[in-house]
Amino acid sequence: MNKITTIIGLSFAIYFLVGIAMSLTTSMMIGFLDALPVYILMAGAIFMMIYEAFFDKS
């Protein structure tokens, strides 16, 4: 039950972060290179969430 709750929580958080990052590129005034730092930060945050949820057992 704990694993299922963790997966559901992570999926909601990942969908939220990806949605925020994708909303930047839909604007005509913001290009891909302008939004690239946001993508890098979102990827780092998603990686850290997954690592802490599943691999960090200390």
Side-chain angles (χ1 to χ4, degrees):
M1 186 67 178
N2 194 15
K3 276 279 205 219
I4 294 171
T5 308
T6 303
I7 290 172
I8 291 171
L10 276 175
S11 65
F12 282 143
I14 289 171
Y15 289 146
F16 178 73
L17 291 174
V18 169
I20 289 174
M22 293 298 290
S23 68
L24 287 174
T25 56
T26 58
S27 173
M28 291 291 188
M29 300 179 76
I30 299 175
F32 177 75
L33 291 178
D34 296 329
L36 189 61
V38 176
Y39 286 129
I40 293 170
L41 287 174
M42 293 296 174
I46 290 170
F47 173 74
M48 285 189 289
M49 282 191 310
I50 292 172
Y51 179 78
E52 185 178 355
F54 293 115
F55 302 115
D56 188 25
K57 300 297 180 194
S58 60

